């Protein structure tokens, strides 16, 4: 994962219940791009880990990455077994450990490939996490360690991983959603404030002496926060995701997934991070983790673009990169 990214992001786990197909995706929000590609790491690409030697053979991976030299620094990815993982900013709270003996010392930038290369499920990831020491070794002098926390998910469950001053925490994530700060237990706790929200029209509980009435559709969701803070975006996307109803086809499911994440889009001009610089949703992704298809849109390109990992040689040794399609594609009818 790249360093120096302090923008806000959203990650969502979703399942199409009838066929039990698992979808995983996120938004990445920042004021500029580092240069990112949809990147496939085949099974025989040699991962060289900073403190743990080499891994010559592993599960194939597809995701969004900045490729530094020949090394994929993944923002988010899935592997061929259907396990997904994403890193999101956790500035001010992330603290990494020092290298120590007797454990797996994993550098922060290696965390996503280390898990996805070896684990087929969240259950297997939990076993790896139990013996892991997440360290702050930087990728390079130009790319120091980013302050992140992570979501790891499959079709059955999701966990949030946070490395803080008091150690490494692994939390069950029943909503399958993650944003940035505050720490995950506080993100979950604040949902108590919105327990009365509903997709249904409300009944009047204010007073039996007043004849209050609904005057618009959608009033069951009154009180759902609409600001751009990470905490508010967590509540908003959790409500949308937990109440979302998808169709049964692949196209309907992918479309619905993008609609869920579009509920927390960042529009240029609304979030000024420096004089004249604005955070925007650089890209939004949706992965069919069962089929190994990575779908995405970008800020200037609303057409959904897809890359299928299984149409590449997954037994190869070299990574495969697809540059992002960033220009708007408008279909004229006359």
């Amino acid at each position: 994962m790249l360093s120096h990214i302090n923008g806000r992001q959203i990650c969502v786990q979703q399942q199409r219940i009838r066929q039990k197909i698992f979808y995983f995706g996120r938004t990445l929000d920042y004021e500029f791009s580092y240069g990112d590609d949809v990147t496939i790491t085949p099974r025989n690409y040699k991962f060289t880990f900073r403190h743990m030697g080499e891994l010559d053979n592993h599960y194939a991976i597809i995701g969004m990455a900045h490729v530094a030299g020949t090394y994929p620094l993944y923002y988010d990815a899935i592997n061929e077994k259907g396990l997904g993982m994403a890193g999101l900013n956790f500035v001010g709270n992330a603290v990494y450990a020092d290298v120590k003996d007797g454990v797996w010392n994993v550098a922060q930038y290696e965390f996503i490939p280390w898990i996805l290369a070896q684990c087929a499920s969240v259950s297997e990831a939990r076993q790896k996490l139990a013996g892991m020491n997440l360290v702050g070794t930087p990728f390079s002098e130009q790319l120091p360690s980013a302050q992140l926390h992570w979501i790891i998910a499959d079709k059955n469950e999701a966990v949030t991983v946070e490395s803080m001053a008091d150690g490494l925490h692994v939390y069950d994530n029943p909503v399958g959603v993650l944003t940035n700060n505050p720490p995950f237990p506080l993100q979950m706790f604040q949902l108590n404030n919105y327990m009365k929200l509903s997709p249904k029209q409300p009944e009047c509980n204010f007073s039996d002496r007043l004849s209050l009435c609904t005057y618009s559709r959608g009033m069951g969701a009154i009180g759902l926060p609409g600001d751009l803070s990470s905490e508010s975006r967590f509540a908003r996307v959790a409500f949308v995701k937990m109440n979302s109803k998808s169709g049964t086809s692949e196209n309907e499911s992918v479309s619905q997934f993008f609609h869920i994440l579009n509920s927390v889009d960042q529009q240029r001009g609304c979030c000024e991070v420096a004089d004249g610089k604005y955070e925007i949703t650089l890209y939004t992704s949706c992965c069919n983790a069962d089929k190994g298809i990575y779908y995405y849109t970008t800020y200037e390109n609303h057409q959904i673009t897809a890359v299928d990992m299984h149409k590449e040689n997954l037994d190869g040794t070299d990574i495969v990169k697809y540059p992002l399609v960033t220009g708007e594609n408008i279909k004229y009818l006359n």
Side-chain angles (χ1 to χ4, degrees), residues 72-149:
L73 297 167
Y74 278 109
Y75 301 95
D76 56 275
I78 58 170
N79 67 18
E80 61 180 298
K81 295 297 183 179
L83 184 66
M85 186 170 177
L88 290 84
N89 281 300
F90 197 43
V91 176
N93 284 304
V95 178
Y96 304 120
D98 296 324
V99 175
K100 61 183 180 181
D101 296 331
V103 293
W104 293 310
N105 292 291
V106 179
Q108 167 268 331
Y109 70 88
E110 301 170 333
F111 191 21
I112 290 179
W114 188 74
I115 290 291
L116 295 186
Q118 303 177 87
C119 301
S121 65
V122 171
S123 178
E124 291 184 11
R126 288 181 190 270
Q127 297 175 31
K128 288 290 186 184
L129 292 169
M132 187 194 75
N133 187 42
L134 192 61
V135 303
T137 306
F139 179 78
S140 67
E141 185 176 340
Q142 293 73 33
L143 293 172
S145 295
Q147 298 183 61
L148 305 174
H149 60 173

Side-chain angles (χ1 to χ4, degrees), residues 16 27 30 51-53 77 80 82 90 99 101 104 113-114 118 130 143 148 150 170 175 224 226 273 283 290 296 306:
R16 193 166 84 215
T27 69
Y30 200 52
H51 305 291
M52 297 182 298
E80 61 180 298
F90 197 43
V99 175
D101 296 331
W104 293 310
W114 188 74
Q118 303 177 87
L143 293 172
L148 305 174
W150 292 264
V170 181
V175 294
L224 185 66
V273 295
Y283 75 83
D290 292 1
Y296 72 89

